[in-house]
Amino acid sequence: MGGWGRTALGAAVIAVASACGPAPTTVVDDSTTGAATSTTRAPRIVDDSGRPDITFDPCLDLPDEVMSAAGYNAAHKEFADMPMGSYTFLGCEYNKPDLVPGVRRGYGLNVLSGNVTLDEELKKNADVAIPTTVNGRPALREVGPSGNDECTYALQTSFGIVLFNRLYNKDHAGPVARDEWCAGMEEFMASVEPYIGDSP
């Protein structure tokens, strides 16, 4: 995981649940039309930094069917929130349990939605970050931000960034080829990008 995640995990991971619950929304009855209207959900955590509130919650706003279709176990996703005072990340952990004995043990995926900017992320991981786009959205691709077998995409949003950090859990002796660390991530990112909201 990139520098934000290392710093945040080293300081505090305050909430881990065995599964994320349904999105807490408020429904308002419009008496003139009889229609029900959903309001925007308040973020689970806010900080005193003056940074924007995080409006995308990875455990609540990524559809389970999309994550399941990608092979991740949405039934066992876990909250992993990181309030740091000067910035915040709302996190969600997934596993991709596609064991292939002697080949791989599957992937671990952390999705972190934070109110830091894409420029801040680039400065933090400039040695491994390459500017790119996902479905036209400004993004960074980071190969090995915290070590071997790791791939991260940082996507720009109106409040900051969403990080998708995947760890390849190998099931064989010797190293995983570097060109495999991000294998399949481009297609996966294209499938989840529409759910994270507008970019500025």
Side-chain angles (χ1 to χ4, degrees):
M1 170 178 315
W4 302 111
R6 285 196 305 272
T7 302
L9 283 173
V13 175
I14 65 159
V16 176
S18 62
C20 297
T25 58
T26 302
V27 177
V28 178
D29 181 23
D30 185 337
S31 59
T32 60
T33 64
T37 305
S38 293
T39 62
T40 301
R41 177 181 49 251
R44 286 199 319 271
I45 298 173
V46 295
D47 57 46
D48 57 3
S49 66
R51 293 175 181 263
D53 287 345
I54 300 167
T55 57
F56 171 78
D57 189 318
C59 261
L60 303 178
D61 295 330
L62 282 174
D64 286 351
E65 60 270 20
V66 172
M67 298 303 291
S68 295
Y72 293 95
N73 191 348
H76 293 91
K77 59 189 176 182
E78 297 181 344
F79 287 109
D81 300 330
M82 303 167 194
M84 300 302 294
S86 59
Y87 59 86
T88 294
F89 281 95
L90 301 182
C92 196
E93 298 178 359
Y94 294 86
N95 286 314
K96 186 176 190 296
D98 56 347
L99 174 65
V100 181
V103 178
R104 70 172 177 240
R105 221 163 36 107
Y107 299 113
L109 180 73
N110 289 313
V111 186
L112 299 170
S113 185
N115 55 0
V116 301
T117 68
L118 195 65
D119 285 342
E120 288 175 306
E121 174 68 11
L122 177 58
K123 288 175 185 174
K124 203 164 200 54
N125 288 322
D127 55 332
V128 296
I130 300 169
T132 186
T133 61
V134 176
N135 295 342
R137 181 190 297 266
L140 299 171
R141 180 178 184 262
E142 303 171 5
V143 182
S146 313
N148 292 344
D149 309 334
E150 194 172 0
C151 181
T152 297
Y153 273 76
L155 278 62
Q156 186 177 50
T157 69
S158 58
F159 58 81
I161 60 173
V162 179
L163 296 167
F164 290 81
N165 172 259
R166 189 187 76 182
L167 178 64
Y168 187 120
N169 296 312
K170 65 181 181 178
D171 189 38
H172 57 82
V176 176
R178 188 179 178 88
D179 62 2
E180 292 183 37
W181 298 359
C182 288
M185 278 290 280
E186 187 173 349
E187 295 79 8
F188 172 63
M189 296 311 306
S191 73
V192 295
E193 181 276 334
Y195 299 99
I196 69 173
D198 295 335
S199 61

